Amino acid sequence: MKFHLSNNLVGILNFLTFIISIPILGGGIWLSKHGTSECEKFLDTPIIILGIFLMLVSLAGLIGACCRVTWLLWFYLVVMFLLIVLVFCFTIFAFLVTNKGAGHVVGGKGYKEYKLGDYSSWLRKRVSDRKNWNKIRACLVDSHVCTKYAKKYANDDVNMFSKEKLKATESGCCKPSSDCGFTYLSPTNWTNTDTTSTNTDCSTWSNDPKMLCYNCSACKAGFVDELRSDWKKVATINIIFLIILIIVYTIGCCAFRNNRRDNSYQSGGWKP
């Protein structure tokens, strides 16, 4: 009974994975053909690779378990083991690089402001790289972060605006830093006054909707803060995913043992 149960479970799980890989691969191919924004173009290759990977691994597990092809099941188990190690390492890494940094409360304001120096050096280096930031900036523009922000708070006067709970990217990318002392006219329109602030973002700010503070250090910090929050959620989910992988791997080991036993019976004897 154990022989049939473990092999059938591996077969069913990998059949479901194979079915899931089809729309993932199809979505990646569609993005590569029809994607118009920089964000979509950036995502198509990883999605296609993920789809192909899931398809090949699930086929190896499905055929290896159901057709008793021992070498395919061995390949499947090796890949699963490497995946477990990879997910474990990424989860630890994600917790390490996201344990630093938080927004600063601004006196009399409902929103927080962000400084890039507060976050881990690894994240700072990635967003400070010009090539990386140009892609991230294009994604922020394509997702209309500041356009939506401007519409949402368009009717706010200065007192109402100062009490708003802004997202990290809205605070960093769509308005100037409070220490610049600029005069509020609208969420994306500020009067540039003479300031003694040493904050370089003050000179970077522009009322041009295409520029705003997208090249500001605060914008990079806001993006990193949201990324940090997302990575923490992913790392938590990865723990559950890791447990599932270990369970599937254990069942796969039972199926592999069953294949060896079946082959040994056919060749004249079984040795555990």
Side-chain angles (χ1 to χ4, degrees):
M1 180 65 181
K2 188 186 293 185
F3 170 71
H4 293 293
L5 181 60
S6 59
N7 285 69
N8 289 341
L9 277 175
V10 172
I12 292 169
L13 289 171
N14 282 282
F15 176 74
L16 293 175
T17 305
F18 178 78
I19 296 299
I20 293 171
S21 71
I22 295 174
I24 293 175
L25 180 59
I29 294 172
W30 186 89
L31 280 177
S32 68
K33 301 293 183 182
H34 303 283
T36 55
S37 70
E38 187 66 30
C39 285
E40 290 174 341
K41 293 177 182 177
F42 179 74
L43 288 173
D44 61 0
T45 301
I47 291 175
I48 289 173
I49 293 173
L50 176 62
I52 293 173
F53 173 78
L54 288 176
M55 186 172 287
L56 292 177
V57 172
S58 60
L59 278 174
L62 180 62
I63 297 171
C66 295
C67 300
R68 312 297 190 263
V69 182
T70 304
W71 72 267
L72 269 179
L73 196 55
W74 178 85
F75 169 78
Y76 169 77
L77 290 174
V78 169
V79 173
M80 286 291 291
F81 176 78
L82 293 176
L83 186 59
I84 289 171
V85 173
L86 181 64
V87 171
F88 176 78
C89 291
F90 174 77
T91 303
I92 298 299
F93 174 75
F95 278 119
L96 288 175
V97 299
T98 58
N99 67 347
K100 291 179 60 179
H104 295 266
V105 176
V106 181
K109 310 291 184 182
Y111 51 80
K112 295 180 179 180
E113 293 189 340
Y114 304 85
K115 295 181 180 179
L116 192 57
D118 293 338
Y119 299 89
S120 71
S121 59
W122 188 87
L123 287 173
R124 290 202 309 269
K125 288 178 182 177
R126 295 304 173 277
V127 297
S128 296
D129 180 82
R130 183 182 295 273
K131 185 178 179 181
N132 289 341
W133 182 248
N134 285 340
K135 291 181 179 179
I136 296 169
R137 183 183 182 280
C139 284
L140 292 172
V141 173
D142 288 340
S143 59
H144 306 292
V145 171
C146 292
T147 302
K148 294 174 183 176
Y149 149 93
K151 290 180 180 178
K152 184 177 181 180
Y153 305 114
N155 297 323
D156 283 12
D157 59 26
V158 63
N159 292 323
M160 293 171 61
F161 181 78
S162 65
K163 297 176 183 178
E164 298 290 1
K165 304 288 186 182
L166 303 181
K167 296 178 181 178
T169 48
E170 290 176 341
S171 176
C173 307
C174 308
K175 69 169 191 61
S177 297
S178 297
D179 58 4
C180 295
F182 293 169
T183 303
Y184 174 89
L185 298 177
S186 73
T188 56
N189 192 2
W190 299 69
T191 299
N192 190 337
T193 57
D194 292 335
T195 178
T196 58
S197 174
T198 57
N199 190 340
T200 55
D201 285 353
C202 299
S203 58
T204 305
W205 166 262
S206 170
N207 285 327
D208 184 345
K210 295 181 179 179
M211 298 295 294
L212 298 179
C213 219
Y214 283 120
N215 290 321
C216 294
S217 175
C219 185
K220 296 174 183 178
F223 172 79
V224 167
D225 190 80
E226 292 190 3
L227 182 67
R228 168 180 169 271
S229 177
D230 291 340
W231 272 33
K232 277 195 170 183
K233 293 174 184 176
V234 170
T236 303
I237 294 172
N238 273 356
I239 295 174
I240 301 172
F241 182 53
L242 191 61
I243 294 172
I244 294 172
L245 281 177
I246 292 172
I247 293 172
V248 174
Y249 179 77
T250 303
I251 296 171
C253 288
C254 292
F256 179 73
R257 180 181 174 85
N258 290 334
N259 280 9
R260 287 186 59 202
R261 181 172 59 185
D262 185 59
N263 292 336
S264 296
Y265 278 144
Q266 292 177 5
S267 62
W270 159 247
K271 293 182 180 180

